[in-house]
Amino acid sequence: MAFPHRPDAPELPDFSMLKRLARDQLIYLLEQLPGKKDLFIEADLMSPLDRIANVSILKQHEVDKLYKVENKPAVSSSEQLCFLVRPRIKNMRYVASLVNADKLAGRTRKYKVIFSPQKFHACEMVLEEEGVYGDVSCDEWAFSLLPLDVDLLSMELPEFFRDYFLEGDQRWINTVAQALHLLSTLYGPFPNCYGIGRCTKMSYELWRKLEEEEDGETKGRRPEIGHVFLLDRDVDFVTALCSQVVYEGLVDDTFRVKCGSVDFGPEVTSSDRSLKVLLNAEDKVFNEIRNEHFSNVFGFLSQKARNLQAQYDRRRGMDIKQMKNFVSQELKGLKQEHRLLSVHIGACESIMKKKTKQDFQELIKTEHALLEGFNIRESTSYIEEHIDRQGSPIESLRLMCLLSITENGLIPKDYRSLKTQYLQSYGPEHLLTFSNLRRAGLLTEQAPGDTLTAVESKVSKLVTDKAAGKITDAFSSLAKRSNFRAISKKLNLIPRVDGEYDLKVPRDMAYVFSGAYVPLSCRLIEQVLERRSWQGLDEVVRLLNCNELAFTDVTKEDKASSESLRLIMVVFLGGCTFSEISALRFLGREKGYRFIFLTTAVTNSARLMEAMSEVKA
């Protein structure tokens, strides 16, 4: 039922080293303010910090009180203040206001700002403008890799997506390059690299520069990770916009997994308290169902409950010695498993309730129709109805984006009509959101004459050179065309199924979307790994608008062991979803690979839409 790894699957590297490094570096920075100090932490950094150094570790290094960086004045009596923040301008204004308030009150204290993952010149400029640059010491905590699980590393930079793919801001590229550099320093060089996307290309080139500058560090080391595949989120928006149906994805869509853990409310725990649960391979129950299609999960959990009961019942016929062994060796484990089991059964029931309420079947049917290109009018009516009923505004946006990308943009009439209905239903303040979605290529309008029929496109190939100039002009304005249908055909993303698709025994990666669609990102990775290059995929690369942006960099494999060549790290810039992770875990088991995932943050359709939205929920 669960996905056992093949006996010949390669071992994963030990990523706990990354946690130790981050912890040691943070402690070193805190020790630079000897004596008692108060620590101000930005909200975004609280969860990641908790996974690295808990409160007792901070206390050991003379951190007295902890405060959240907020917009209200701080009431700290300590003589030394330390700020642990992301490099954001509003944080600098906050620090400056504290320092200036102290100056007015005639108070002298020591101030230290620790930027994570790096400091930006703009931040120091703000401190200078505010007249406090001389009073504050600045440092950086280069903490950019948080191991969320044995095979999942996150940079915990959810803002990466908006900053780069909407604003075109390249400041995080250095952070990505530094993270890759750290990994190759710790785990040996990467003999084979493949990538696609503009952000990927820039990050890769910068990382290569870092490697050259520190030449010799990884020379002669044996590679532990044989292949690295880098991918921009905008190469495949479709997968990220789909509703997730594997268990881990559904938990994320329903309850929001934050930094590897989830808060289950009273409706799951059936008590009046919430419960914070860490979702990783250590949770034995979760580990067996995380990659499963939701339709299989209940059956699995009830079977597990029966097995547990049978193990408890064994104690009935025991003598004293056996009973003693049972209590000392097995009971604790059984109780732990029992507790986890009831949590996941509660989560499943809660998901079922929510999904029945929003008529999930109907929603999935519409999504599948959009992916396959059938009944577009019916799907459009479904979206209109969703808007008119004032269903969740984020959900309506997501469906409109899915329609737009799968159809290569909306026809002007539909675009105007959907946009008008949306603004009337949810309010005119969403107007800027539409402009953002358009800029990012998520929700676009076809230019007149865009939808060429098969005959017209054949004719346009025969047009003389004189007219060709005009045609190229027309096409350059469509730089962000998604070409999803053509790509889907080329890569066979919609499996042809005879009879029912058996979700219990999946035959391909499409099972993560109920057998309707193979994630484009995962198919690309599969194809490139098979060929060990982009050869033969030129047409796909062209359709993805990535002509100059797909690369292969393969070194001679004399040092790489056959084991390391079956270990593949996939780097998602702009976020990856749990569905993609499950699909690649499945592919790994089929082909005898193991995948490691590195992402700027774990994302899902709602997070993508919120990042683009100008209306804060």
Side-chain angles (χ1 to χ4, degrees):
M1 177 67 196
F3 293 169
H5 280 290
R6 290 164 49 145
D8 63 340
E11 281 294 297
L12 289 168
D14 172 20
F15 290 124
S16 60
M17 200 177 346
L18 292 166
K19 279 187 180 176
R20 287 199 300 277
L21 266 175
R23 185 183 312 134
D24 293 350
Q25 197 193 355
L26 180 65
I27 288 167
Y28 171 75
L29 292 170
L30 290 172
E31 303 262 291
Q32 289 180 353
L33 269 186
K36 276 200 183 316
K37 53 202 152 281
D38 282 355
L39 183 60
F40 289 76
I41 308 170
E42 184 169 356
D44 287 6
L45 280 166
M46 284 185 163
S47 300
L49 178 67
D50 198 37
R51 302 278 305 251
I52 295 293
N54 53 23
V55 176
S56 60
I57 290 178
L58 296 174
K59 296 270 186 216
Q60 283 166 22
H61 298 279
E62 298 189 273
V63 170
D64 190 21
K65 292 194 180 71
L66 293 169
Y67 297 97
K68 195 169 162 182
V69 169
E70 286 172 310
N71 290 337
K72 47 180 196 265
V75 281
S76 163
S77 55
S78 175
E79 288 310 299
Q80 306 197 91
L81 304 185
C82 191
F83 301 88
L84 183 56
V85 292
R86 290 258 184 250
R88 292 179 183 144
I89 288 187
K90 67 174 202 301
N91 291 333
M92 296 306 95
R93 302 236 189 269
Y94 172 82
V95 171
S97 68
L98 283 186
V99 179
N100 283 326
D102 279 352
K103 282 184 180 171
L104 274 176
R107 226 187 139 162
T108 48
R109 329 192 214 202
K110 276 190 172 167
Y111 312 94
K112 182 180 191 66
V113 178
I114 300 174
F115 294 103
S116 172
Q118 64 179 98
K119 75 176 171 213
F120 292 130
H121 180 59
C123 293
E124 298 182 300
M125 293 282 290
V126 173
L127 293 174
E128 205 170 327
E129 279 166 22
E130 299 277 348
V132 299
Y133 187 62
D135 307 277
V136 177
S137 66
C138 295
D139 252 308
E140 56 182 30
W141 180 34
F143 163 52
S144 57
L145 289 169
L146 176 66
L148 293 180
D149 209 338
V150 287
D151 59 354
L152 174 60
L153 304 172
S154 170
M155 297 179 71
E156 288 302 304
L157 284 176
E159 63 265 46
F160 186 102
F161 178 69
R162 184 183 167 108
D163 285 350
Y164 180 81
F165 293 100
L166 177 64
E167 316 283 0
D169 185 337
Q170 298 173 9
R171 61 185 169 168
W172 297 116
I173 286 178
N174 182 34
T175 316
V176 174
Q178 295 285 0
L180 289 169
H181 182 54
L182 175 63
L183 286 171
S184 66
T185 311
L186 294 176
Y187 303 104
F190 306 133
N192 306 297
C193 302
Y194 320 95
I196 183 163
R198 180 163 272 115
C199 185
T200 282
K201 196 160 186 185
M202 288 193 280
S203 309
Y204 181 77
E205 284 167 0
L206 185 57
W207 166 50
R208 276 290 179 231
K209 273 205 183 81
L210 291 174
E211 299 275 303
E212 280 159 25
E213 280 166 21
E214 298 187 22
D215 201 25
E217 269 205 21
T218 56
K219 281 265 185 319
R221 285 278 310 273
R222 286 198 74 138
E224 279 186 49
I225 299 168
H227 303 271
V228 176
F229 193 107
L230 298 99
L231 178 95
D232 280 12
R233 184 68 273 172
D234 66 354
V235 167
D236 174 17
F237 277 141
V238 172
T239 303
L241 288 171
C242 292
S243 296
Q244 307 195 70
V245 286
V246 286
Y247 182 62
E248 193 166 8
L250 259 173
V251 168
D252 189 31
D253 279 358
T254 317
F255 305 102
R256 284 284 164 114
V257 176
K258 188 177 170 207
C259 204
S261 65
V262 65
D263 278 316
F264 285 132
E267 77 279 8
V268 172
T269 57
S270 31
S271 65
D272 46 4
R273 289 203 317 275
S274 285
L275 181 65
K276 191 175 184 183
V277 179
L278 225 82
L279 296 178
N280 59 22
E282 283 168 21
D283 175 338
K284 294 287 177 279
V285 176
F286 174 69
N287 198 37
E288 294 192 62
I289 54 176
R290 64 192 315 177
N291 303 310
E292 286 291 339
H293 189 277
F294 190 64
S295 59
N296 303 335
V297 172
F298 255 136
F300 174 81
L301 290 173
S302 54
Q303 181 58 48
K304 193 100 180 141
R306 285 197 291 277
N307 297 352
L308 252 185
Q309 193 54 52
Q311 281 176 289
Y312 271 128
D313 290 347
R314 279 192 13 247
R315 66 177 193 265
R316 293 227 170 101
M318 287 181 180
D319 59 26
I320 287 185
K321 191 176 175 202
Q322 289 168 320
M323 191 56 127
K324 188 179 164 193
N325 274 348
F326 177 77
V327 171
S328 64
Q329 284 163 14
E330 290 178 45
L331 193 61
K332 194 174 165 206
L334 290 179
K335 282 201 159 136
Q336 166 77 346
E337 204 167 319
H338 186 136
R339 193 180 62 79
L340 292 170
L341 199 57
S342 60
V343 165
H344 290 295
I345 289 174
C348 282
E349 286 171 341
S350 180
I351 290 171
M352 288 289 280
K353 271 194 201 119
K354 285 185 175 137
K355 294 303 177 196
T356 316
K357 205 167 125 198
Q358 71 169 94
D359 199 357
F360 197 52
Q361 289 322 101
E362 198 55 33
L363 177 70
I364 293 288
K365 210 173 95 189
T366 303
E367 283 184 27
H368 291 179
L370 290 175
L371 292 166
E372 292 167 28
F374 293 144
N375 305 347
I376 296 305
R377 290 266 46 97
E378 273 174 43
S379 302
T380 311
S381 317
Y382 176 87
I383 297 172
E384 285 177 334
E385 195 178 319
H386 195 276
I387 293 172
D388 297 341
R389 283 185 173 171
Q390 294 191 314
S392 130
I394 286 288
E395 189 76 340
S396 296
L397 268 187
R398 170 178 87 79
L399 290 167
M400 284 156 67
C401 291
L402 200 54
L403 173 65
S404 165
I405 291 184
T406 51
E407 285 297 296
N408 240 339
L410 301 176
I411 50 180
K413 185 172 87 130
D414 282 353
Y415 181 81
R416 283 196 295 274
S417 142
L418 282 167
K419 183 173 171 181
T420 308
Q421 289 179 61
Y422 190 94
L423 296 172
Q424 284 170 348
S425 195
Y426 301 113
E429 63 275 17
H430 290 272
L431 199 54
L432 286 170
T433 304
F434 279 87
S435 149
N436 290 348
L437 292 169
R438 194 177 190 140
R439 263 192 11 234
L442 277 159
L443 182 54
T444 55
E445 180 182 2
Q446 293 174 1
D450 238 16
T451 39
L452 301 176
T453 61
V455 178
E456 285 173 317
S457 60
K458 278 201 178 110
V459 171
S460 71
K461 285 194 180 115
L462 309 170
V463 182
T464 57
D465 285 349
K466 198 168 136 204
K470 283 183 185 153
I471 291 176
T472 354
D473 292 346
F475 277 116
S476 63
S477 68
L478 308 173
K480 282 210 156 152
R481 292 194 59 165
S482 60
N483 303 322
F484 177 73
R485 291 268 169 271
I487 294 166
S488 171
K489 237 197 195 94
K490 275 257 172 291
L491 289 173
N492 194 14
L493 298 182
I494 311 292
R496 289 279 151 262
V497 180
D498 313 318
E500 278 288 287
Y501 186 98
D502 185 0
L503 292 164
K504 277 202 169 51
V505 190
R507 64 174 89 168
D508 56 17
M509 293 187 282
Y511 90 93
V512 300
F513 293 117
S514 310
Y517 160 69
V518 177
L520 165 56
S521 52
C522 305
R523 177 71 95 205
L524 277 176
I525 291 165
E526 175 194 37
Q527 291 294 319
V528 171
L529 285 174
E530 256 175 41
R531 298 173 160 80
R532 295 274 176 111
S533 78
W534 289 95
Q535 255 177 344
L537 293 170
D538 313 342
E539 181 61 8
V540 173
V541 169
R542 189 185 65 74
L543 288 167
L544 287 166
N545 307 315
C546 287
N547 262 345
E548 304 295 309
L549 306 172
F551 60 85
T552 308
D553 184 355
V554 178
T555 52
K556 283 212 279 301
E557 289 170 3
D558 45 356
K559 283 210 172 62
S561 63
S562 65
E563 168 133 338
S564 74
L565 289 173
R566 296 208 314 276
L567 203 52
I568 298 141
M569 181 163 78
V570 182
V571 184
F572 284 91
L573 301 180
C576 93
T577 64
F578 282 121
S579 297
E580 289 166 308
I581 292 176
S582 291
L584 288 171
R585 280 179 183 146
F586 173 84
L587 180 69
R589 251 190 354 279
E590 293 288 293
K591 309 258 187 197
Y593 303 141
R594 279 300 278 279
F595 283 98
I596 299 161
F597 305 93
L598 164 58
T599 176
T600 48
V602 173
T603 193
N604 61 14
S605 57
R607 289 193 191 93
L608 283 198
M609 294 295 100
E610 282 160 17
M612 289 288 157
S613 173
E614 287 299 324
V615 181
K616 291 301 157 244

